[in-house]
Amino acid sequence: FDAIEQLGFRLRKAYCGSAPRYMRRRLPFLQEFEYVPTSGTYAGKLDELEVIMVPQTDSIELFLEIDKKGKGLFG
């Protein structure tokens, strides 16, 4: 989380939701963190960064979803 904030992102919201069907055997729900770029390299270039962490036996699996601003008429 510190590294994300050092890149210029600010936490917009965190919430729990149902896990995708392929993950429900391991986890019934996931916690998602939504960040927005407010400064630095990504400000004005990305809409948001979504982070989901899935605990494993001896590690954490990290999923990142990056939403980028569209450009042009059909962006």
Side-chain angles (χ1 to χ4, degrees), residues 16-75:
C16 292
S18 296
R21 180 169 283 192
Y22 67 92
M23 287 186 168
R24 287 190 190 146
R25 288 185 183 185
R26 292 187 293 162
L27 298 169
F29 65 92
L30 298 172
Q31 187 171 18
E32 183 173 315
F33 300 87
E34 288 185 6
Y35 286 87
V36 291
T38 57
S39 63
T41 305
Y42 303 105
K45 295 179 183 174
L46 301 178
D47 288 330
E48 69 180 11
L49 171 67
E50 297 175 10
V51 180
I52 298 172
M53 289 174 268
V54 179
Q56 303 297 320
T57 304
D58 59 353
S59 63
I60 296 176
E61 194 171 2
L62 186 66
F63 293 91
L64 302 174
E65 180 179 319
I66 299 169
D67 293 336
K68 184 179 178 192
K69 291 184 179 287
K71 295 189 181 210
L73 181 61
F74 298 103

